[in-house]
């Protein structure tokens, strides 16, 4: 079990230090901004949605390691997925970090964030980008964790 926790910690550290898709895609046709006023995390999620599929996704902003890593992993997971699949991933992720679900699919990068449930204040850090993704899919422009 300890080795698995080490692996998950490595995933979070790697994605926080070298976030994937930290950019605005060339043809973003949807976007939303998110803010966690308690800790100051800010994120903007950019989507290129074509025929109901997330063709490209990126994010910009600043935040803690959990917030940045979560956004980075999220972009990798939702790219190429339908809007419905992306929404379902958000629901699974939310259930995972709030303790409603024990784990995502075996070896899913989402599992790296399961430990966040032990720190309720960090759940908002981990889910900020996902709420922002949902707002972008809905055509919204701003979300807050408060």
């Amino acid at each position: 079990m300890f080795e698995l926790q080490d692996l998950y910690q490595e995933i979070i550290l790697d994605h926080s230090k070298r976030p994937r898709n930290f950019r605005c895609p060339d043809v973003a046709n949807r976007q939303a901004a998110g803010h966690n006023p308690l800790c100051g995390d800010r994120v903007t999620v950019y989507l290129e949605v074509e025929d109901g599929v997330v063709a490209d996704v990126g994010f910009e902003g600043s935040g803690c390691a959990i917030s940045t890593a979560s956004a980075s992993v999220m972009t990798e997971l939702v790219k190429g997925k339908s809007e419905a699949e992306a929404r379902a991933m958000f629901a699974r992720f939310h259930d995972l970090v709030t303790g409603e679900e024990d784990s995502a699919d075996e070896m899913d990068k989402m599992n790296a964030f399961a430990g966040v449930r032990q720190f309720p204040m960090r759940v908002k850090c981990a889910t900020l980008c996902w709420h922002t993704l949902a707002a972008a899919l809905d055509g919204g422009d701003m979300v807050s964790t408060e």
Side-chain angles (χ1 to χ4, degrees):
M1 182 67 170
F2 186 71
E3 289 177 10
L4 194 55
Q5 289 175 338
D6 288 346
L7 172 64
Y8 290 158
Q9 186 175 14
E10 282 297 316
I11 290 170
I12 291 172
L13 289 173
D14 181 45
H15 278 268
S16 70
K17 291 178 182 176
R18 289 177 293 283
R20 282 48 155 198
N21 302 301
F22 190 79
R23 61 181 172 72
C24 177
D26 293 334
V27 188
N29 53 15
R30 297 189 199 172
Q31 73 179 55
H35 180 226
N36 181 346
L38 285 178
C39 67
D41 292 346
R42 292 185 177 275
V43 66
T44 301
V45 174
Y46 304 97
L47 302 174
E48 178 187 347
V49 179
E50 295 177 0
D51 299 322
V53 174
V54 179
D56 200 3
V57 57
F59 76 101
E60 294 177 331
S62 60
C64 67
I66 296 290
S67 178
T68 301
S70 183
S72 177
V73 168
M74 177 197 72
T75 62
E76 288 190 327
L77 293 173
V78 302
K79 190 182 287 188
K81 301 294 191 270
S82 71
E83 291 182 67
E85 289 171 317
R87 290 177 199 283
M89 283 182 173
F90 169 44
R92 281 181 44 231
F93 185 82
H94 191 271
D95 288 349
L96 178 69
V97 299
T98 59
E100 300 295 320
E101 183 175 315
D102 288 335
S103 67
D105 295 335
E106 189 174 317
M107 296 308 294
D108 192 322
K109 286 183 182 178
M110 281 188 196
N111 284 326
F113 297 92
V116 170
R117 72 179 71 149
Q118 297 172 19
F119 307 95
M121 293 300 292
R122 302 308 298 244
V123 169
K124 291 180 180 184
C125 300
T127 60
L128 176 62
C129 63
W130 289 90
H131 284 288
T132 308
L133 169 71
L137 288 169
D138 292 340
D141 61 351
M142 182 69 178
V143 296
S144 174
T145 58
E146 294 307 309

